[in-house]
Amino acid sequence: MSCIPQASIAIIGGSGTLSMDFPAALCCHDVEIIERDMVFDTPYGQTPPFLLFRLGNKKVLTCRMHGWRGGASRADASRQIFWLFREAGVKKILAEGGVGSVNHLLDTRDMVVASDYIDQSMRKDVGLEGHYLLIMRQALCPHLRQELICAAKARPLTRVFQRGVYAVTDGRHFESPAEVAMLKGHADIVGQSLCPEVYLAREIGACYAGLYTVVNYGEGVVKDWEHNELSQIFYADADKIGHILLATIRRLDDKQVCKCADLRKPTLLKEVYGSTI
Ligand SMILES: CSC[C@H]1O[C@H](OP(=O)(O)O)[C@H](O)[C@@H]1O
């Protein structure tokens, strides 16, 4: 079992960077791997393996969460990693993942820096201690999003959309044509990962923003897609996604100039009942 390190930044890797040994595969002169395969005991069970690296003078914790984000273990895995982030002092969290398109203007391989979300999942509440009322105003941190956008635009490798609404579903299936039609006009992309992470980030007072790659068209949007195209996108675009995430981290400092840490308020239930229910 590893001792909990201090790190102010974390990356939650999804399907986009799963195929490579991120960040070592990118061979950047300013990246130093500190430790691999770190696992931690938490009140919610043992975490997935983490990697700790240094980029300049910043320490970054990262894990491959694709596969852990889904299924029955999802609630526990999310709690484990956010409990660890809180203990490690993480204040800025960058996520990445694969999504389907709902907006017909989007093409596969486009990237979207999500600006809001609609939670269509039916997941049980996965808070940590649940002592907070979470206000989900500007839930995707505007400052962290801006840094992601600037980093992506400085390396124009692909089309990057600066805003978009991410509809979160339970999966594991993708959506039917009628479900996609229902989401149209409300959401631009659909995936299964942004919630509950965005709630847990708010609970620990950390900024959270995500870069999402369109890997398939929603049913009835543009055209049918092939499964092999989807996996090819994951493999072909891992480097791009990785470089954008590292470039974003280079732009970050330790200050939280946003409201992300102030939008959690003590829940009144504690005052009324003496404990949370
Ligand atoms: C491609 S299988 C569907 C799966 O992929 C995405 O996961 P991630 O966000 O970790 O890239 C999506 O959210 C689904 O869970």
Side-chain angles (χ1 to χ4, degrees):
M1 212 56 56
S2 310
C3 291
I4 297 176
Q6 287 301 293
S8 58
I9 300 169
I11 295 175
I12 305 179
S15 45
T17 48
L18 186 76
S19 64
M20 68 167 178
D21 183 15
F22 173 76
L26 301 176
C27 299
C28 296
H29 64 284
D30 53 353
V31 171
E32 178 203 345
I33 305 289
I34 301 174
E35 199 170 337
R36 292 175 183 280
D37 296 326
M38 304 170 83
V39 288
F40 304 91
D41 262 338
T42 80
Y44 309 102
Q46 193 175 302
T47 63
F50 274 81
L51 180 144
L52 179 67
F53 69 91
R54 198 189 312 272
L55 200 167
N57 59 359
K58 295 159 202 154
K59 278 194 191 163
V60 184
L61 263 173
T62 176
C63 55
R64 296 177 180 199
M65 282 301 284
H66 183 64
W68 297 77
R69 278 166 150 173
S73 61
R74 184 198 308 259
D76 283 341
S78 303
R79 280 196 184 112
Q80 289 154 14
I81 66 164
F82 279 85
W83 183 91
L84 173 70
F85 290 164
R86 187 178 62 188
E87 301 303 304
V90 169
K91 291 289 169 226
K92 297 185 183 176
I93 301 168
L94 292 167
E96 65 85 5
V99 291
S101 67
V102 173
N103 187 325
H104 72 278
L105 297 175
L106 289 170
D107 239 322
T108 49
R109 292 199 148 87
D110 284 344
M111 293 186 190
V112 180
V113 178
S115 48
D116 209 342
Y117 68 92
I118 299 174
D119 189 356
Q120 289 275 296
S121 70
M122 309 275 213
R123 291 167 198 157
K124 62 179 178 166
D125 179 11
V126 292
L128 295 176
E129 287 81 24
H131 291 168
Y132 293 110
L133 166 67
L134 305 177
I135 300 170
M136 302 314 287
R137 185 179 309 143
Q138 297 194 325
L140 285 309
C141 173
H143 291 272
L144 197 49
R145 287 184 47 240
Q146 196 51 45
E147 299 300 351
L148 253 178
I149 291 163
C150 291
K153 297 247 159 194
R155 248 187 124 94
L157 300 168
T158 192
R159 286 209 302 179
V160 178
F161 288 79
Q162 306 194 17
R163 62 185 70 83
V165 176
Y166 182 132
V168 186
T169 60
D170 275 324
R172 63 190 160 86
H173 48 264
F174 287 1
E175 295 64 40
S176 68
E179 287 172 324
V180 175
M182 187 187 76
L183 291 173
K184 268 194 187 159
H186 303 286
D188 301 291
I189 50 179
V190 56
Q192 303 166 34
S193 308
L194 187 143
C195 296
E197 290 172 5
V198 69
Y199 304 131
L200 286 155
R202 181 116 304 172
E203 183 164 350
I204 66 168
C207 305
Y208 179 93
L211 179 69
Y212 301 101
T213 308
V214 178
V215 294
N216 62 281
Y217 300 108
E219 290 306 313
V221 180
V222 183
K223 65 180 175 83
D224 288 350
W225 54 280
E226 299 296 331
H227 183 258
N228 65 343
E229 280 176 47
L230 179 143
S231 38
Q232 273 165 19
I233 295 173
F234 287 156
Y235 285 100
D237 290 3
D239 279 25
K240 270 189 228 164
I241 299 165
H243 278 299
I244 294 173
L245 293 175
L246 294 184
T248 307
I249 293 173
R250 287 190 190 97
R251 302 176 58 88
L252 299 181
D253 58 31
D254 277 346
K255 291 188 222 89
Q256 258 183 312
V257 286
C258 52
K259 300 220 163 53
C260 295
D262 301 328
L263 290 168
R264 52 180 180 159
K265 305 290 178 192
T267 167
L268 298 179
L269 294 176
K270 191 146 191 271
E271 280 165 33
V272 176
Y273 296 107
S275 68
T276 48
I277 47 170

